[in-house]
Amino acid sequence: MTTIAIAGFGKIARDQHLPALRDNRDFELTAIASRNATLEGVDNHQDLDALLSAVPALDAVALCTPPQVRYAQAVAAIEAGKHVLLEKPPGVSLSEVEDLVRRAKQQGVTLYATWHAREAAGVEKAREWLSTRRVTGVDIQWREDVRQWHPGQQWVWEPGGLGVFDPGINALSIVTRILPEAFFLREATLEVPENCQSPIGATLEFTDVHDTPIHADFDWRQTGPQTWQITVDTEDGKLVLDSGGSQLSINGERIIDGEDVEYAGLYRRFAELIRKGQSDVDVAPFRHVADAFLLGRRQSVEAFIE
Amino acid sequence: MTTIAIAGFGKIARDQHLPALRDNRDFELTAIASRNATLEGVDNHQDLDALLSAVPALDAVALCTPPQVRYAQAVAAIEAGKHVLLEKPPGVSLSEVEDLVRRAKQQGVTLYATWHAREAAGVEKAREWLSTRRVTGVDIQWREDVRQWHPGQQWVWEPGGLGVFDPGINALSIVTRILPEAFFLREATLEVPENCQSPIGATLEFTDVHDTPIHADFDWRQTGPQTWQITVDTEDGKLVLDSGGSQLSINGERIIDGEDVEYAGLYRRFAELIRKGQSDVDVAPFRHVADAFLLGRRQSVEAFIE
């Protein structure tokens, strides 16, 4: 049994990490570090440093804090000899993620940069089906309502918060997993509210080695039904991942209509990595986001008022 | 003798690449691809594709075009089996540089992503002196007049043109070479003229594994004397690289006061890489720039009118 603490007990920790840990027999949640929240039945601490001092026998830490503070916490946990699970994105800069990889290796602990969307029910089957096919076009529609999913979360608009790339990186984590070829950005437009630092909408044009057009629309202004859909055209027909990857259709036939199993999958994988003494840090989705900030043309749009 | 062509015959090609190639006995410049310029005594072509078709025996290509068009040219040259030298920065996205590395490997040609500032006379000695010392602080001042160095070059202000990071990446290429520890960005401010996409000024705060403060000021609005200076404080005293790295002082004593030897060094290195069948692509300076665009807080400043 691996004892684990959660740092940052906000929405994602309560909605996803807590139930996933309760259903997983490899882990025992023994402590929480949170400034504002507490959880009955475990040790509660104001911050991670206090927790690490108070619970020296702890094996692992799941970091569910906003990305802007995650690096310092990850360093503290790694230096204390803990295995570390990082919520996505793994940091606020590519260079700091490189530094965490180096530190985890030096300390001999597992570092797992999670991409929860990759665990959605249809993703592995989609990857398998596409692995032997020639892709001719990709369309990514990732449109949701920021007010619904990030209520009161000012950090998403700050530098390092990524704006609409916070959900968009989920799409990128799926597409980098299922497409048989690497791809890269050719141009991008970022729509930035005049009172924010981060984009509320983005249009991205990628290509791969075969000049396949790969188009993405990310939008945080969609009210009503939410859209998390990836359509892949191939020489053998059309594959559609819908509902964030949990539904898979091929040539109009529904192959998979799964439940939300993402965080269960993450903790299974974390347990496996710890058992094998391995780390898993794939920066490709985050690198694409950095490329979009580097190469994107910014347009100022209407102020965002929550 | 390696036959080489230059693609993009603008200011940097004429001022630097041409004299460096004329002084290097490993290379023979046989062709130019340029829409507007020609050079006497070599084959002149309107674009690289025409050149590659017309001069099939060519061994290598130096890409001196703006970064926005360099990727497609690099692909064409690599697929034609040519060794490729890339001016800095190596591309407009990190992912496309990854793709070039993969392609060069597949084709068995040399790909060299140059950082000319690393060849400045004082850099290797600085690296050597710092390699055994504990650094306590770094200050980077990189301030120049964009009107003097990039007259009429509208591409520097476009997405992918990097703005003040076009010179700033030179400083980053030196600092990533001479410091004994990796470092990473903590915060940044980017000053973007209200009529441009790219910053005209930037302030960057980095740290390394020892929490060493590493501060950088990049500014493109400096008239009068130009400043390209890196100061490194250590437990054994102060090292100063000045004039872009060509002058080195340690504890007040001038150790090196060199001439401009940067591009001569690049072509010596390119010849060596070709001879050994190797590539050299270090993305660290470019990754730091991507991090600054990702994590930087943008401030709108006065319009830039050339």
Side-chain angles (χ1 to χ4, degrees), chain B residues 206-222:
Chain B
F206 302 90
T207 55
D208 67 5
V209 61
H210 306 296
D211 290 326
T212 310
I214 299 170
H215 170 87
D217 286 318
F218 298 160
D219 203 321
W220 242 355
R221 292 160 297 199
Q222 174 145 314

Side-chain angles (χ1 to χ4, degrees), chain A residues 71 99 103, chain B residues 181-187 204-215 288:
Chain A
Y71 170 78
D99 186 66
R103 285 172 188 258
Chain B
E181 301 281 359
F183 56 91
F184 45 91
L185 191 65
R186 302 311 294 142
E187 28 176 280
L204 308 159
E205 309 295 344
F206 302 90
T207 55
D208 67 5
V209 61
H210 306 296
D211 290 326
T212 310
I214 299 170
H215 170 87
H288 281 302

Side-chain angles (χ1 to χ4, degrees), chain A:
Chain A
M1 181 78 89
T2 301
T3 56
I4 190 168
I6 291 177
F9 202 59
K11 183 169 168 54
I12 195 73
R14 286 192 303 270
D15 292 356
Q16 299 289 353
H17 290 260
L18 190 58
L21 279 169
R22 286 197 165 145
D23 289 347
N24 186 309
R25 299 172 63 174
D26 288 319
F27 292 99
E28 182 188 1
L29 178 65
T30 58
I32 294 285
S34 170
R35 265 178 311 179
N36 310 309
T38 56
L39 177 68
E40 223 173 297
V42 306
D43 288 339
N44 287 275
H45 298 276
Q46 281 284 308
D47 59 56
L48 184 61
D49 285 338
L51 186 154
L52 291 171
S53 304
V55 196
L58 188 74
D59 298 314
V61 177
L63 294 181
C64 306
T65 40
Q68 290 94 335
V69 301
R70 215 176 282 151
Y71 170 78
Q73 294 185 327
V75 169
I78 290 169
E79 300 301 316
K82 312 307 177 196
H83 306 297
V84 172
L85 177 150
L86 299 169
E87 249 298 344
K88 46 100 331 199
V92 291
S93 74
L94 289 162
S95 305
E96 83 181 13
V97 179
E98 297 261 318
D99 186 66
L100 293 181
V101 170
R102 192 187 54 74
R103 285 172 188 258
K105 197 169 173 183
Q106 216 167 49
Q107 285 287 328
V109 298
T110 290
L111 178 67
Y112 179 25
T114 63
W115 301 108
H116 64 79
R118 285 185 177 177
E119 303 296 327
V123 171
E124 275 314 292
K125 182 74 188 165
R127 188 185 67 76
E128 195 184 297
W129 191 80
L130 290 170
S131 67
T132 57
R133 288 176 168 84
R134 172 69 180 267
V135 173
T136 55
V138 180
D139 181 70
I140 303 163
Q141 296 293 326
W142 220 256
R143 291 184 271 120
E144 60 173 53
D145 183 355
V146 62
R147 292 177 176 86
Q148 179 178 345
W149 301 102
H150 293 277
Q153 293 180 21
Q154 182 55 31
W155 63 265
V156 299
W157 301 111
E158 292 298 310
L162 301 189
V164 76
F165 287 91
D166 181 81
I169 205 171
N170 297 334
L172 293 170
S173 76
I174 293 176
V175 180
T176 48
R177 178 85 184 135
I178 65 174
L179 292 187
E181 300 282 0
F183 57 91
F184 46 91
L185 191 65
R186 302 311 296 143
E187 28 176 282
T189 303
L190 311 183
E191 296 175 281
V192 185
E194 58 187 26
N195 61 340
C196 297
Q197 284 288 323
S198 301
I200 197 167
T203 309
L204 308 158
E205 310 295 344
F206 301 91
T207 55
D208 67 4
V209 61
H210 307 295
D211 291 326
T212 309
I214 299 170
H215 170 87
D217 286 318
F218 297 160
D219 204 319
W220 241 355
R221 292 160 297 197
Q222 173 145 315
T223 53
Q226 308 281 284
T227 307
W228 299 290
Q229 188 180 67
I230 296 164
T231 305
V232 184
D233 286 309
T234 77
E235 290 180 344
D236 287 332
K238 189 188 291 288
L239 176 148
V240 180
L241 272 172
D242 215 330
S243 298
S246 64
Q247 298 181 342
L248 173 66
S249 301
I250 296 177
N251 290 325
E253 188 190 345
R254 179 63 52 92
I255 307 290
I256 289 172
D257 190 355
E259 293 175 38
D260 179 355
V261 293
E262 298 183 7
Y263 283 77
L266 291 186
Y267 280 99
R268 269 202 308 278
R269 173 88 179 124
F270 191 33
E272 184 194 353
L273 288 168
I274 293 171
R275 213 158 39 231
K276 293 185 173 169
Q278 297 173 346
S279 286
D280 178 357
V281 180
D282 177 10
V283 300
F286 194 30
R287 191 168 52 219
H288 281 302
V289 175
D291 285 343
F293 276 73
L294 194 60
L295 188 53
R297 182 175 295 277
R298 285 179 172 237
Q299 283 178 355
S300 188
V301 299
E302 191 186 356
F304 175 78
I305 314 287
E306 188 166 357

Side-chain angles (χ1 to χ4, degrees), chain B residues 21-300:
Chain B
L21 280 169
R22 286 197 165 145
D23 289 347
N24 186 309
R25 299 173 62 175
D26 288 318
F27 292 99
E28 183 188 0
L29 178 66
T30 58
I32 294 284
S34 170
R35 267 178 310 178
N36 309 309
T38 56
L39 178 67
E40 223 173 298
V42 306
D43 287 338
N44 287 275
H45 298 276
Q46 280 284 307
D47 59 57
L48 183 61
D49 285 337
L51 186 154
L52 291 171
S53 305
V55 195
L58 189 74
D59 298 313
V61 177
L63 294 181
C64 306
T65 39
Q68 291 95 334
V69 301
R70 215 176 282 151
Y71 170 78
Q73 295 185 326
V75 169
I78 290 168
E79 300 301 315
K82 312 307 177 196
H83 307 298
V84 172
L85 177 149
L86 298 169
E87 249 298 344
K88 46 92 350 191
V92 291
S93 75
L94 288 162
S95 304
E96 83 180 13
V97 178
E98 298 261 318
D99 186 66
L100 293 182
V101 170
R102 192 186 54 73
R103 284 172 189 258
K105 199 169 172 183
Q106 217 166 47
Q107 285 287 329
V109 299
T110 291
L111 179 66
Y112 179 25
T114 64
W115 300 109
H116 64 78
R118 285 185 177 176
E119 303 295 327
V123 171
E124 275 314 291
K125 183 74 188 165
R127 188 186 68 76
E128 193 185 300
W129 191 81
L130 290 169
S131 65
T132 56
R133 288 178 167 82
R134 172 70 180 267
V135 173
T136 56
V138 180
D139 182 70
I140 303 162
Q141 297 293 325
W142 219 256
R143 292 185 269 119
E144 60 173 53
D145 182 354
V146 62
R147 292 178 176 86
Q148 179 178 344
W149 300 101
H150 293 277
Q153 293 179 21
Q154 183 54 30
W155 63 266
V156 300
W157 301 110
E158 291 299 307
L162 302 189
V164 75
F165 287 91
D166 181 82
I169 204 170
N170 297 334
L172 292 170
S173 75
I174 293 175
V175 180
T176 48
R177 177 85 185 137
I178 65 174
L179 292 187
E181 301 281 359
F183 56 91
F184 45 91
L185 191 65
R186 302 311 294 142
E187 28 176 280
T189 302
L190 311 183
E191 296 175 281
V192 184
E194 58 188 25
N195 61 340
C196 296
Q197 284 289 324
S198 303
I200 198 167
T203 309
L204 308 159
E205 309 295 344
F206 302 90
T207 55
D208 67 5
V209 61
H210 306 296
D211 290 326
T212 310
I214 299 170
H215 170 87
D217 286 318
F218 298 160
D219 203 321
W220 242 355
R221 292 160 297 199
Q222 174 145 314
T223 52
Q226 308 281 286
T227 307
W228 299 290
Q229 189 180 66
I230 297 165
T231 306
V232 184
D233 286 308
T234 77
E235 290 180 342
D236 286 332
K238 187 188 292 290
L239 176 149
V240 181
L241 271 172
D242 215 331
S243 298
S246 64
Q247 297 180 342
L248 173 66
S249 301
I250 295 177
N251 291 323
E253 188 191 345
R254 178 63 51 91
I255 307 289
I256 289 172
D257 190 354
E259 293 176 38
D260 178 354
V261 293
E262 297 184 7
Y263 283 78
L266 291 187
Y267 280 98
R268 268 202 310 277
R269 174 86 179 126
F270 191 32
E272 184 194 353
L273 289 169
I274 292 171
R275 211 157 41 229
K276 293 184 173 171
Q278 296 173 346
S279 285
D280 179 356
V281 180
D282 177 10
V283 299
F286 194 30
R287 190 167 54 219
H288 281 302
V289 175
D291 284 345
F293 276 72
L294 193 61
L295 188 53
R297 182 175 295 277
R298 285 178 172 238
Q299 284 177 355
S300 186

